[in-house]
Amino acid sequence: MTSAETDQSTAVRTNIQVDTTPEHAFEVFTTGIDRWWIRSHHLLPDELKRVGMEPHVGGAMWEESEAGEVCTWGRVLTWDPPRTFAFSWLIGPNWEVPPADAVGSRVTVTFTPADGGTRVDLVHDQLDAHGAGWEQIRDAVARDNGWSGLLRRYAETA
């Protein structure tokens, strides 16, 4: 079961437990992101073809539309398998394709061994870095179809 809560009004925290090793949980969350990402969560026009990431610090978090357009919406900040993965969230309050110089908030995901599996904690913080309207991002990612919904989909494939 997941639920999201706001912390100090500039962060959203949620977690879930999966019945697998931290190594597998990390792999599914990162390089397997296309298997669990909610298909309606995309920025480009047209349908989402796939979402992915480059598995190294500085790597892009990206999406590709069925029309073949690609946009980068984040950058890998921490790559420490199987413990921690963090990336910048470059999507602003307008929910449009971010410009190349977009300022981002941070999403940090940790994978901790727990009874019979792995606890996955997700913290989306520094949301105020997006400037005016940042609260819209916080409220959206804290909703049931935000990070909590994504983690439930992730858990189904982990």
Side-chain angles (χ1 to χ4, degrees):
M1 177 111 176
T2 64
S3 65
E5 60 184 62
T6 59
D7 176 22
Q8 303 170 18
S9 77
T10 62
V12 173
R13 299 174 184 277
T14 189
N15 65 74
I16 198 163
Q17 183 150 333
V18 293
D19 297 329
T20 190
T21 65
E23 291 81 7
H24 185 71
F26 185 95
E27 180 183 336
V28 171
F29 194 96
T30 57
T31 57
I33 191 171
D34 190 54
R35 295 191 317 232
W36 57 267
W37 193 260
I38 296 173
R39 305 323 281 177
S40 63
H41 289 25
H42 61 90
L43 301 173
L44 293 168
D46 205 13
E47 296 297 314
L48 178 65
K49 179 176 181 180
R50 60 188 175 152
V51 61
M53 53 152 309
E54 298 169 344
H56 57 83
V57 172
M61 303 287 295
W62 53 269
E63 70 179 52
E64 179 183 4
S65 72
E66 288 290 347
E69 291 182 78
V70 177
C71 78
T72 296
W73 51 263
R75 289 272 172 213
V76 177
L77 301 171
T78 303
W79 184 261
D80 184 20
R83 292 176 287 282
T84 307
F85 167 64
F87 63 94
S88 61
W89 174 275
L90 303 175
I91 304 166
N94 61 8
W95 299 97
E96 295 177 353
V97 173
D101 62 349
V103 175
S105 50
R106 178 180 61 196
V107 177
T108 304
V109 188
T110 55
F111 304 83
T112 307
D115 291 337
T118 302
R119 178 182 163 111
V120 180
D121 289 284
L122 184 146
V123 178
H124 190 162
D125 63 358
Q126 302 176 359
L127 286 157
D128 55 340
H130 293 283
W134 67 268
E135 298 91 344
Q136 295 171 32
I137 300 168
R138 178 200 58 204
D139 296 347
V141 300
R143 288 189 191 112
D144 190 54
N145 68 343
W147 286 122
S148 294
L150 283 162
L151 284 185
R152 284 192 303 275
R153 292 263 315 208
Y154 156 76
E156 293 169 4
T157 62

